[in-house]
Short mmCIF file of all heavy atoms in Angstrom, two decimals:
data_model
loop_
_atom_site.label_atom_id
_atom_site.label_comp_id
_atom_site.label_asym_id
_atom_site.label_seq_id
_atom_site.Cartn_x
_atom_site.Cartn_y
_atom_site.Cartn_z
N MET A 139 -35.19 41.31 48.68
CA MET A 139 -33.76 41.28 48.59
C MET A 139 -33.35 40.56 47.31
O MET A 139 -33.76 39.43 47.06
CB MET A 139 -33.20 40.59 49.82
CG MET A 139 -31.71 40.42 49.81
SD MET A 139 -31.25 39.44 51.25
CE MET A 139 -29.79 40.21 51.69
N GLU A 140 -32.57 41.20 46.50
CA GLU A 140 -32.13 40.61 45.24
C GLU A 140 -30.95 39.68 45.48
O GLU A 140 -30.04 40.01 46.24
CB GLU A 140 -31.72 41.71 44.27
CG GLU A 140 -31.36 41.19 42.90
CD GLU A 140 -31.03 42.31 41.95
OE1 GLU A 140 -31.61 43.40 42.09
OE2 GLU A 140 -30.19 42.09 41.08
N LYS A 141 -30.96 38.51 44.85
CA LYS A 141 -29.87 37.56 45.01
C LYS A 141 -28.91 37.69 43.83
O LYS A 141 -29.33 37.72 42.69
CB LYS A 141 -30.40 36.13 45.08
CG LYS A 141 -31.20 35.87 46.33
CD LYS A 141 -31.60 34.44 46.42
CE LYS A 141 -32.38 34.20 47.69
NZ LYS A 141 -32.70 32.81 47.90
N ASP A 142 -27.62 37.82 44.13
CA ASP A 142 -26.60 37.89 43.10
C ASP A 142 -25.79 36.60 43.11
O ASP A 142 -25.55 36.02 44.16
CB ASP A 142 -25.65 39.07 43.35
CG ASP A 142 -26.36 40.41 43.17
OD1 ASP A 142 -27.19 40.51 42.26
OD2 ASP A 142 -26.06 41.32 43.94
N LYS A 143 -25.37 36.17 41.94
CA LYS A 143 -24.53 35.00 41.82
C LYS A 143 -23.08 35.42 41.97
O LYS A 143 -22.61 36.30 41.26
CB LYS A 143 -24.74 34.33 40.46
CG LYS A 143 -23.90 33.10 40.25
CD LYS A 143 -24.15 32.47 38.90
CE LYS A 143 -23.24 31.30 38.68
NZ LYS A 143 -23.42 30.72 37.35
N ILE A 144 -22.38 34.80 42.91
CA ILE A 144 -20.95 35.07 43.08
C ILE A 144 -20.20 34.00 42.29
O ILE A 144 -20.37 32.81 42.51
CB ILE A 144 -20.54 34.99 44.56
CG1 ILE A 144 -21.26 36.07 45.36
CG2 ILE A 144 -19.02 35.11 44.71
CD1 ILE A 144 -21.05 35.99 46.85
N CYS A 145 -19.39 34.44 41.32
CA CYS A 145 -18.66 33.47 40.50
C CYS A 145 -17.16 33.51 40.78
O CYS A 145 -16.44 32.62 40.37
CB CYS A 145 -18.93 33.68 39.02
SG CYS A 145 -18.44 35.29 38.43
N ASN A 146 -16.67 34.56 41.47
CA ASN A 146 -15.26 34.57 41.85
C ASN A 146 -15.04 35.51 43.03
O ASN A 146 -15.75 36.48 43.19
CB ASN A 146 -14.36 34.92 40.67
CG ASN A 146 -14.47 36.37 40.26
OD1 ASN A 146 -13.97 37.23 40.96
ND2 ASN A 146 -15.12 36.63 39.15
N LEU A 147 -14.07 35.14 43.85
CA LEU A 147 -13.67 35.93 45.00
C LEU A 147 -12.19 36.21 44.86
O LEU A 147 -11.42 35.32 44.49
CB LEU A 147 -13.91 35.17 46.30
CG LEU A 147 -15.34 34.72 46.58
CD1 LEU A 147 -15.36 33.82 47.81
CD2 LEU A 147 -16.24 35.92 46.79
N ARG A 148 -11.77 37.44 45.14
CA ARG A 148 -10.36 37.79 44.97
C ARG A 148 -9.79 38.34 46.28
O ARG A 148 -10.39 39.17 46.91
CB ARG A 148 -10.19 38.83 43.87
CG ARG A 148 -10.65 38.30 42.54
CD ARG A 148 -10.56 39.32 41.46
NE ARG A 148 -11.23 38.80 40.28
CZ ARG A 148 -11.21 39.39 39.14
NH1 ARG A 148 -10.59 40.52 38.97
NH2 ARG A 148 -11.85 38.87 38.10
N PHE A 149 -8.62 37.85 46.64
CA PHE A 149 -7.91 38.27 47.83
C PHE A 149 -6.46 38.51 47.45
O PHE A 149 -5.75 37.56 47.16
CB PHE A 149 -8.01 37.23 48.93
CG PHE A 149 -9.42 36.88 49.30
CD1 PHE A 149 -10.04 35.76 48.77
CD2 PHE A 149 -10.14 37.69 50.17
CE1 PHE A 149 -11.34 35.44 49.09
CE2 PHE A 149 -11.44 37.37 50.51
CZ PHE A 149 -12.05 36.25 49.97
N ALA A 150 -6.04 39.78 47.44
CA ALA A 150 -4.65 40.14 47.08
C ALA A 150 -4.32 39.49 45.74
O ALA A 150 -4.88 39.85 44.73
CB ALA A 150 -3.70 39.74 48.18
N ASP A 151 -3.42 38.50 45.76
CA ASP A 151 -3.04 37.85 44.50
C ASP A 151 -3.69 36.47 44.35
O ASP A 151 -3.28 35.66 43.54
CB ASP A 151 -1.53 37.76 44.37
CG ASP A 151 -0.89 36.90 45.45
OD1 ASP A 151 -1.56 36.59 46.44
OD2 ASP A 151 0.28 36.54 45.30
N ASP A 152 -4.71 36.18 45.16
CA ASP A 152 -5.42 34.90 45.09
C ASP A 152 -6.81 35.13 44.50
O ASP A 152 -7.42 36.16 44.71
CB ASP A 152 -5.58 34.28 46.47
CG ASP A 152 -4.25 33.89 47.09
OD1 ASP A 152 -3.31 33.60 46.33
OD2 ASP A 152 -4.16 33.88 48.32
N THR A 153 -7.29 34.15 43.78
CA THR A 153 -8.64 34.20 43.22
C THR A 153 -9.31 32.86 43.45
O THR A 153 -8.70 31.81 43.25
CB THR A 153 -8.60 34.49 41.70
OG1 THR A 153 -7.97 35.74 41.50
CG2 THR A 153 -9.99 34.55 41.12
N THR A 154 -10.56 32.88 43.86
CA THR A 154 -11.36 31.67 44.00
C THR A 154 -12.47 31.73 42.96
O THR A 154 -13.24 32.68 42.91
CB THR A 154 -11.98 31.59 45.41
OG1 THR A 154 -10.93 31.59 46.37
CG2 THR A 154 -12.81 30.33 45.56
N LEU A 155 -12.52 30.71 42.11
CA LEU A 155 -13.56 30.61 41.10
C LEU A 155 -14.60 29.61 41.60
O LEU A 155 -14.26 28.52 42.04
CB LEU A 155 -12.99 30.14 39.77
CG LEU A 155 -11.85 30.98 39.19
CD1 LEU A 155 -11.34 30.35 37.91
CD2 LEU A 155 -12.30 32.40 38.95
N ILE A 156 -15.86 29.98 41.51
CA ILE A 156 -16.94 29.11 41.97
C ILE A 156 -17.81 28.77 40.77
O ILE A 156 -18.42 29.64 40.17
CB ILE A 156 -17.77 29.82 43.06
CG1 ILE A 156 -16.85 30.21 44.23
CG2 ILE A 156 -18.91 28.92 43.53
CD1 ILE A 156 -17.50 31.14 45.23
N VAL A 157 -17.84 27.48 40.42
CA VAL A 157 -18.58 27.04 39.24
C VAL A 157 -19.35 25.76 39.56
O VAL A 157 -19.07 25.09 40.56
CB VAL A 157 -17.63 26.80 38.04
CG1 VAL A 157 -16.95 28.08 37.63
CG2 VAL A 157 -16.60 25.73 38.35
N ALA A 158 -20.28 25.42 38.69
CA ALA A 158 -21.11 24.23 38.90
C ALA A 158 -20.68 23.05 38.05
O ALA A 158 -21.16 21.94 38.25
CB ALA A 158 -22.57 24.57 38.60
N SER A 159 -19.75 23.26 37.10
CA SER A 159 -19.35 22.16 36.23
C SER A 159 -17.94 22.37 35.71
O SER A 159 -17.39 23.47 35.79
CB SER A 159 -20.30 22.04 35.04
OG SER A 159 -20.14 23.16 34.18
N GLN A 160 -17.37 21.31 35.17
CA GLN A 160 -16.04 21.40 34.58
C GLN A 160 -16.04 22.35 33.39
O GLN A 160 -15.10 23.12 33.18
CB GLN A 160 -15.58 20.01 34.14
CG GLN A 160 -14.18 20.00 33.55
CD GLN A 160 -13.70 18.60 33.21
OE1 GLN A 160 -14.31 17.61 33.59
NE2 GLN A 160 -12.59 18.51 32.52
N GLU A 161 -17.12 22.34 32.61
CA GLU A 161 -17.21 23.22 31.46
C GLU A 161 -17.19 24.70 31.88
O GLU A 161 -16.55 25.52 31.25
CB GLU A 161 -18.48 22.92 30.65
CG GLU A 161 -18.47 21.57 29.96
CD GLU A 161 -18.77 20.39 30.89
OE1 GLU A 161 -19.30 20.61 32.01
OE2 GLU A 161 -18.47 19.26 30.51
N GLU A 162 -17.91 25.00 32.96
CA GLU A 162 -17.92 26.38 33.46
C GLU A 162 -16.53 26.77 33.96
O GLU A 162 -16.10 27.91 33.78
CB GLU A 162 -18.93 26.54 34.60
CG GLU A 162 -20.35 26.61 34.15
CD GLU A 162 -21.30 26.86 35.32
OE1 GLU A 162 -20.92 27.57 36.27
OE2 GLU A 162 -22.42 26.34 35.28
N LEU A 163 -15.82 25.83 34.59
CA LEU A 163 -14.47 26.11 35.08
C LEU A 163 -13.54 26.44 33.91
O LEU A 163 -12.81 27.44 33.95
CB LEU A 163 -13.93 24.91 35.85
CG LEU A 163 -12.48 25.04 36.34
CD1 LEU A 163 -12.32 26.22 37.29
CD2 LEU A 163 -12.04 23.74 37.01
N VAL A 164 -13.59 25.67 32.86
CA VAL A 164 -12.75 25.92 31.69
C VAL A 164 -13.07 27.27 31.08
O VAL A 164 -12.17 28.06 30.75
CB VAL A 164 -12.92 24.78 30.65
CG1 VAL A 164 -12.25 25.12 29.34
CG2 VAL A 164 -12.37 23.48 31.20
N ALA A 165 -14.36 27.60 30.96
CA ALA A 165 -14.78 28.88 30.38
C ALA A 165 -14.32 30.05 31.26
O ALA A 165 -13.80 31.04 30.75
CB ALA A 165 -16.29 28.91 30.19
N LEU A 166 -14.50 29.93 32.57
CA LEU A 166 -14.12 31.01 33.47
C LEU A 166 -12.61 31.19 33.52
O LEU A 166 -12.11 32.31 33.57
CB LEU A 166 -14.69 30.74 34.86
CG LEU A 166 -14.90 31.93 35.78
CD1 LEU A 166 -15.68 33.05 35.09
CD2 LEU A 166 -15.60 31.50 37.05
N LEU A 167 -11.85 30.09 33.48
CA LEU A 167 -10.39 30.19 33.43
C LEU A 167 -9.93 30.89 32.16
O LEU A 167 -8.98 31.68 32.18
CB LEU A 167 -9.74 28.80 33.53
CG LEU A 167 -9.65 28.21 34.93
CD1 LEU A 167 -9.20 26.76 34.85
CD2 LEU A 167 -8.73 29.02 35.82
N SER A 168 -10.59 30.61 31.07
CA SER A 168 -10.25 31.26 29.80
C SER A 168 -10.46 32.77 29.89
O SER A 168 -9.62 33.56 29.46
CB SER A 168 -11.09 30.67 28.67
OG SER A 168 -10.83 31.33 27.46
N ILE A 169 -11.60 33.17 30.47
CA ILE A 169 -11.88 34.60 30.64
C ILE A 169 -10.86 35.23 31.57
O ILE A 169 -10.33 36.32 31.31
CB ILE A 169 -13.31 34.79 31.18
CG1 ILE A 169 -14.33 34.37 30.12
CG2 ILE A 169 -13.54 36.23 31.62
CD1 ILE A 169 -15.74 34.25 30.63
N LEU A 170 -10.54 34.55 32.67
CA LEU A 170 -9.56 35.06 33.62
C LEU A 170 -8.19 35.22 32.95
O LEU A 170 -7.51 36.23 33.16
CB LEU A 170 -9.46 34.13 34.83
CG LEU A 170 -8.51 34.55 35.94
CD1 LEU A 170 -8.94 35.89 36.53
CD2 LEU A 170 -8.45 33.48 37.02
N GLU A 171 -7.78 34.24 32.15
CA GLU A 171 -6.50 34.34 31.42
C GLU A 171 -6.48 35.55 30.49
O GLU A 171 -5.48 36.25 30.40
CB GLU A 171 -6.24 33.06 30.62
CG GLU A 171 -5.82 31.89 31.47
CD GLU A 171 -5.61 30.63 30.66
OE1 GLU A 171 -6.27 30.45 29.62
OE2 GLU A 171 -4.77 29.81 31.07
N GLN A 172 -7.58 35.80 29.79
CA GLN A 172 -7.66 36.94 28.88
C GLN A 172 -7.53 38.26 29.64
O GLN A 172 -6.79 39.16 29.22
CB GLN A 172 -8.97 36.92 28.11
CG GLN A 172 -9.07 35.80 27.11
CD GLN A 172 -10.45 35.69 26.50
OE1 GLN A 172 -11.28 36.58 26.62
NE2 GLN A 172 -10.74 34.56 25.86
N HIS A 173 -8.22 38.38 30.74
CA HIS A 173 -8.16 39.61 31.54
C HIS A 173 -6.77 39.79 32.16
O HIS A 173 -6.25 40.90 32.20
CB HIS A 173 -9.25 39.63 32.61
CG HIS A 173 -10.60 39.90 32.07
ND1 HIS A 173 -11.08 41.17 31.83
CD2 HIS A 173 -11.60 39.05 31.71
CE1 HIS A 173 -12.31 41.10 31.34
NE2 HIS A 173 -12.64 39.82 31.26
N ASN A 174 -6.20 38.71 32.64
CA ASN A 174 -4.85 38.78 33.21
C ASN A 174 -3.84 39.21 32.16
O ASN A 174 -2.95 40.03 32.44
CB ASN A 174 -4.43 37.42 33.78
CG ASN A 174 -5.08 37.14 35.13
OD1 ASN A 174 -5.64 38.01 35.76
ND2 ASN A 174 -4.98 35.89 35.56
N ALA A 175 -3.94 38.66 30.96
CA ALA A 175 -3.00 38.98 29.89
C ALA A 175 -3.04 40.47 29.54
O ALA A 175 -2.01 41.06 29.20
CB ALA A 175 -3.31 38.13 28.65
N ALA A 176 -4.19 41.09 29.66
CA ALA A 176 -4.33 42.51 29.37
C ALA A 176 -3.46 43.36 30.31
O ALA A 176 -3.09 44.47 29.98
CB ALA A 176 -5.79 42.94 29.47
N TYR A 177 -3.13 42.80 31.48
CA TYR A 177 -2.31 43.50 32.46
C TYR A 177 -0.93 42.88 32.61
O TYR A 177 -0.19 43.17 33.56
CB TYR A 177 -3.01 43.52 33.82
CG TYR A 177 -4.29 44.34 33.80
CD1 TYR A 177 -5.51 43.72 33.59
CD2 TYR A 177 -4.26 45.72 33.93
CE1 TYR A 177 -6.68 44.47 33.55
CE2 TYR A 177 -5.41 46.48 33.88
CZ TYR A 177 -6.63 45.84 33.68
OH TYR A 177 -7.78 46.59 33.63
N GLY A 178 -0.58 41.98 31.68
CA GLY A 178 0.72 41.34 31.73
C GLY A 178 0.85 40.29 32.83
O GLY A 178 1.95 39.96 33.25
N LEU A 179 -0.28 39.77 33.28
CA LEU A 179 -0.29 38.76 34.33
C LEU A 179 -0.63 37.40 33.77
O LEU A 179 -1.15 37.28 32.66
CB LEU A 179 -1.31 39.14 35.42
CG LEU A 179 -1.10 40.50 36.07
CD1 LEU A 179 -2.30 40.82 36.98
CD2 LEU A 179 0.19 40.53 36.86
N GLY A 180 -0.37 36.37 34.54
CA GLY A 180 -0.70 35.02 34.11
C GLY A 180 -1.11 34.17 35.30
O GLY A 180 -0.99 34.58 36.45
N ILE A 181 -1.57 32.97 35.02
CA ILE A 181 -1.95 32.01 36.05
C ILE A 181 -0.82 31.01 36.21
O ILE A 181 -0.38 30.41 35.23
CB ILE A 181 -3.26 31.28 35.67
CG1 ILE A 181 -4.41 32.27 35.54
CG2 ILE A 181 -3.59 30.20 36.71
CD1 ILE A 181 -5.68 31.67 34.99
N ASN A 182 -0.34 30.83 37.43
CA ASN A 182 0.68 29.84 37.70
C ASN A 182 -0.03 28.52 38.01
O ASN A 182 -0.48 28.28 39.12
CB ASN A 182 1.55 30.27 38.87
CG ASN A 182 2.70 29.31 39.12
OD1 ASN A 182 2.66 28.17 38.70
ND2 ASN A 182 3.71 29.79 39.82
N TYR A 183 -0.15 27.65 37.00
CA TYR A 183 -0.89 26.41 37.17
C TYR A 183 -0.18 25.42 38.08
O TYR A 183 -0.80 24.50 38.59
CB TYR A 183 -1.22 25.79 35.80
CG TYR A 183 -2.33 26.53 35.11
CD1 TYR A 183 -2.06 27.44 34.10
CD2 TYR A 183 -3.65 26.34 35.48
CE1 TYR A 183 -3.09 28.14 33.47
CE2 TYR A 183 -4.69 27.02 34.85
CZ TYR A 183 -4.39 27.92 33.86
OH TYR A 183 -5.41 28.61 33.25
N ASN A 184 1.12 25.61 38.32
CA ASN A 184 1.84 24.76 39.26
C ASN A 184 1.40 25.04 40.70
O ASN A 184 1.50 24.17 41.56
CB ASN A 184 3.36 24.95 39.15
CG ASN A 184 3.88 24.40 37.84
OD1 ASN A 184 3.41 23.38 37.36
ND2 ASN A 184 4.83 25.09 37.25
N LYS A 185 0.91 26.25 40.95
CA LYS A 185 0.44 26.62 42.29
C LYS A 185 -1.08 26.56 42.39
O LYS A 185 -1.65 26.77 43.46
CB LYS A 185 0.89 28.04 42.63
CG LYS A 185 2.36 28.18 42.87
CD LYS A 185 2.65 29.61 43.28
CE LYS A 185 4.06 29.80 43.74
NZ LYS A 185 4.29 31.20 44.18
N THR A 186 -1.76 26.29 41.29
CA THR A 186 -3.22 26.29 41.26
C THR A 186 -3.77 25.04 41.93
O THR A 186 -3.29 23.93 41.69
CB THR A 186 -3.72 26.38 39.80
OG1 THR A 186 -3.22 27.59 39.24
CG2 THR A 186 -5.23 26.35 39.73
N LYS A 187 -4.79 25.23 42.76
CA LYS A 187 -5.45 24.12 43.45
C LYS A 187 -6.91 24.08 43.03
O LYS A 187 -7.55 25.12 42.90
CB LYS A 187 -5.34 24.30 44.95
CG LYS A 187 -3.93 24.27 45.47
CD LYS A 187 -3.91 24.48 46.96
CE LYS A 187 -2.44 24.48 47.38
NZ LYS A 187 -2.10 25.58 48.21
N ILE A 188 -7.41 22.89 42.82
CA ILE A 188 -8.83 22.72 42.48
C ILE A 188 -9.46 21.88 43.58
O ILE A 188 -8.99 20.80 43.90
CB ILE A 188 -9.02 22.03 41.12
CG1 ILE A 188 -8.42 22.89 40.02
CG2 ILE A 188 -10.48 21.73 40.87
CD1 ILE A 188 -8.44 22.23 38.65
N GLU A 189 -10.52 22.41 44.17
CA GLU A 189 -11.31 21.68 45.14
C GLU A 189 -12.69 21.48 44.55
O GLU A 189 -13.27 22.41 43.99
CB GLU A 189 -11.39 22.44 46.46
CG GLU A 189 -10.03 22.58 47.12
CD GLU A 189 -10.12 23.26 48.47
OE1 GLU A 189 -11.20 23.23 49.10
OE2 GLU A 189 -9.10 23.82 48.87
N SER A 190 -13.21 20.28 44.68
CA SER A 190 -14.47 19.99 44.01
C SER A 190 -15.30 19.01 44.81
O SER A 190 -14.78 18.17 45.54
CB SER A 190 -14.15 19.40 42.63
OG SER A 190 -15.33 18.98 42.00
N THR A 191 -16.59 19.12 44.64
CA THR A 191 -17.51 18.13 45.20
C THR A 191 -17.95 17.15 44.11
O THR A 191 -18.72 16.25 44.38
CB THR A 191 -18.75 18.81 45.81
OG1 THR A 191 -19.40 19.56 44.79
CG2 THR A 191 -18.36 19.71 46.98
N ILE A 192 -17.43 17.36 42.88
CA ILE A 192 -17.69 16.45 41.77
C ILE A 192 -16.36 15.96 41.23
O ILE A 192 -15.31 16.54 41.50
CB ILE A 192 -18.49 17.12 40.63
CG1 ILE A 192 -17.73 18.32 40.07
CG2 ILE A 192 -19.86 17.56 41.13
CD1 ILE A 192 -18.34 18.91 38.82
N ILE A 193 -16.37 14.90 40.46
CA ILE A 193 -15.15 14.36 39.85
C ILE A 193 -14.83 15.18 38.60
O ILE A 193 -15.66 15.34 37.73
CB ILE A 193 -15.31 12.88 39.48
CG1 ILE A 193 -15.55 12.07 40.76
CG2 ILE A 193 -14.09 12.38 38.73
CD1 ILE A 193 -15.90 10.62 40.52
N ILE A 194 -13.60 15.71 38.55
CA ILE A 194 -13.16 16.51 37.40
C ILE A 194 -12.12 15.71 36.64
O ILE A 194 -11.11 15.29 37.20
CB ILE A 194 -12.57 17.86 37.85
CG1 ILE A 194 -13.65 18.68 38.54
CG2 ILE A 194 -11.96 18.61 36.67
CD1 ILE A 194 -13.20 20.01 39.05
N GLU A 195 -12.39 15.47 35.35
CA GLU A 195 -11.46 14.72 34.52
C GLU A 195 -10.30 15.61 34.12
O GLU A 195 -10.46 16.79 33.89
CB GLU A 195 -12.18 14.23 33.26
CG GLU A 195 -13.34 13.33 33.54
CD GLU A 195 -14.11 12.99 32.28
OE1 GLU A 195 -13.56 13.16 31.18
OE2 GLU A 195 -15.25 12.56 32.40
N LYS A 196 -9.11 15.00 34.03
CA LYS A 196 -7.92 15.77 33.61
C LYS A 196 -7.79 15.77 32.13
O LYS A 196 -8.21 14.95 31.42
CB LYS A 196 -6.67 15.18 34.23
CG LYS A 196 -6.62 15.41 35.72
CD LYS A 196 -5.30 14.98 36.26
CE LYS A 196 -5.22 15.33 37.72
NZ LYS A 196 -3.95 15.02 38.29
#
């Protein structure tokens, strides 16, 4: 059985990003913003929630 890495889950207008570090989160958000912009969409950071098992610096 081949194992695939899941890096994001999407439900309707919600997206869950799964990363191992703050750097990966920043990179994945950048990619997501680029893809969203291609469709005239954006990320509402006022509604964005971050859950982490590590400390993320602001």
Side-chain angles (χ1 to χ4, degrees):
M139 177 186 218
E140 185 177 329
K141 293 185 179 185
D142 293 322
K143 180 180 176 183
I144 297 174
C145 61
N146 71 73
L147 302 172
R148 298 177 190 187
F149 303 97
D151 63 346
D152 295 332
T153 300
T154 301
L155 304 177
I156 302 169
V157 297
S159 69
Q160 182 176 349
E161 292 79 16
E162 284 184 34
L163 177 60
V164 170
L166 204 50
L167 281 171
S168 176
I169 292 168
L170 182 61
E171 285 178 331
Q172 291 172 14
H173 285 276
N174 283 346
Y177 294 96
L179 302 172
I181 298 172
N182 184 339
Y183 285 101
N184 291 323
K185 290 184 171 182
T186 300
K187 297 179 182 131
I188 297 175
E189 295 183 24
S190 174
T191 59
I192 60 171
I193 298 172
I194 297 179
E195 300 174 18
K196 290 187 175 184

